[in-house]
Amino acid sequence: MDLDVPDPRAVKSHHAAGKQREPALHFARNMGAGGIEEKYFAPDMTVYTTATRHIPIAEYLPKLRRGGKVWKSPLAMTIDVVTQVPGRVIVQARGRGEPLTGGVYTQDYLVVVEFDDQDLIRHVREYFDMVRLETILRPAITEWQRQQDARA
């Protein structure tokens, strides 16, 4: 066996993992702002979050977009750790922002992004502290909805 010739499986795996890192980081960085580019999504993409459980992307996107509108200052994401293997990227991140209702919202996230054979996101799992969401962020969501209803 010639040790100077890389195993083609390893080269393909490394290439795939590199292509998958950017969409996963894009997802994690932008989930609090409500804007994620759909070009990264597989047609049958699904999402699991601590708050919504398992839902199709068509149900997730409106919630995500609404969530991006409940901030005085947007949720800024700090990426702490990225772990990847072919087909999966795991991102540990922290978010910090000022909701419409004031105060500071901080949250720790673990985001698992899984890819299909075309390197499109087929499934995302988002884990976070529901108590923080319910006690700090939920009132801002309710306030934003009240403002929308008053305008209608």
Side-chain angles (χ1 to χ4, degrees), residues 28-29 31-32 48-51 71 75-81 90-97 104-112 125-134 136-137:
R29 284 187 184 116
M31 62 188 187
Y48 173 94
T49 77
T50 309
W71 305 101
L75 185 67
M77 299 297 287
T78 300
I79 306 298
D80 292 320
V81 178
I90 301 149
V91 180
Q92 287 177 266
R94 291 172 284 133
R96 180 181 178 87
V104 174
Y105 177 76
T106 59
Q107 186 66 273
D108 294 318
Y109 297 91
L110 179 68
V111 182
V112 180
R125 286 177 274 153
E126 237 183 87
Y127 300 98
F128 49 84
D129 183 349
M130 275 298 294
V131 173
R132 296 195 65 68
L133 183 131
E134 290 297 333
I136 301 170
L137 193 56

Side-chain angles (χ1 to χ4, degrees), residues 29-124:
R29 284 187 184 116
N30 292 290
M31 62 188 187
I36 297 174
E37 292 183 60
E38 295 180 39
K39 70 180 183 179
Y40 295 123
F41 301 163
D44 59 344
M45 180 180 163
T46 59
V47 177
Y48 173 94
T49 77
T50 309
T52 64
R53 303 297 183 212
H54 189 261
I55 58 174
I57 192 65
E59 285 182 41
Y60 177 74
L61 287 176
K63 294 174 188 305
L64 183 72
R65 290 186 181 116
R66 180 182 63 225
K69 297 178 181 185
V70 301
W71 305 101
K72 284 184 183 177
S73 67
L75 185 67
M77 299 297 287
T78 300
I79 306 298
D80 292 320
V81 178
V82 179
T83 305
Q84 62 188 75
V85 296
R88 182 175 295 143
V89 179
I90 301 149
V91 180
Q92 287 177 266
R94 291 172 284 133
R96 180 181 178 87
E98 183 182 1
L100 291 174
T101 50
V104 174
Y105 177 76
T106 59
Q107 186 66 273
D108 294 318
Y109 297 91
L110 179 68
V111 182
V112 180
V113 183
E114 297 174 334
F115 293 85
D116 66 13
D117 292 340
Q118 287 77 45
D119 296 322
L120 296 173
I121 299 173
R122 71 175 173 87
H123 185 67
V124 172

